[in-house]
Amino acid sequence: KMQELAQGQGLAVVFMPDITESEMRRIVQAVGARIVDGPTSTDAYVLQVPTTHPTDALMALRSEPAVMFAEPLSARVDR
């Protein structure tokens, strides 16, 4: 999984607890991302977005009402 993240920008995203799977899929696909890990113990998902527009993807995720939290992951993830 760490190799995959190196090829794209990793984002930590937390969705609203009542989000449907189809809505989650729609949001993820709309920003050109894919889920590479999650949910974690804190209900976060790790999304990989293309390196060409990570900021656009982050802003789009933050504008979604069903997204509670969206932040870039640092190069190293402590678990």
Side-chain angles (χ1 to χ4, degrees):
K1 290 221 186 316
M2 293 312 289
Q3 274 185 327
E4 288 177 13
L5 286 176
Q7 295 166 5
Q9 173 70 52
L11 301 178
V13 179
V14 178
F15 297 98
M16 293 289 268
D18 60 350
I19 190 170
T20 62
E21 190 182 331
S22 60
E23 178 71 355
M24 189 187 299
R25 253 199 319 269
R26 180 195 66 76
I27 292 170
V28 171
Q29 288 173 350
V31 299
R34 64 192 186 98
I35 296 173
V36 292
D37 199 10
T40 65
S41 57
T42 55
D43 296 321
Y45 288 85
V46 178
L47 270 55
Q48 181 182 334
V49 296
T51 46
T52 48
H53 60 275
T55 308
D56 293 349
L58 188 60
M59 298 309 286
L61 285 165
R62 286 179 175 165
S63 72
E64 287 281 353
V67 174
M68 295 171 55
F69 175 90
E71 287 294 326
L73 282 177
S74 59
R76 204 166 70 99
V77 179
D78 292 321
R79 290 187 177 260

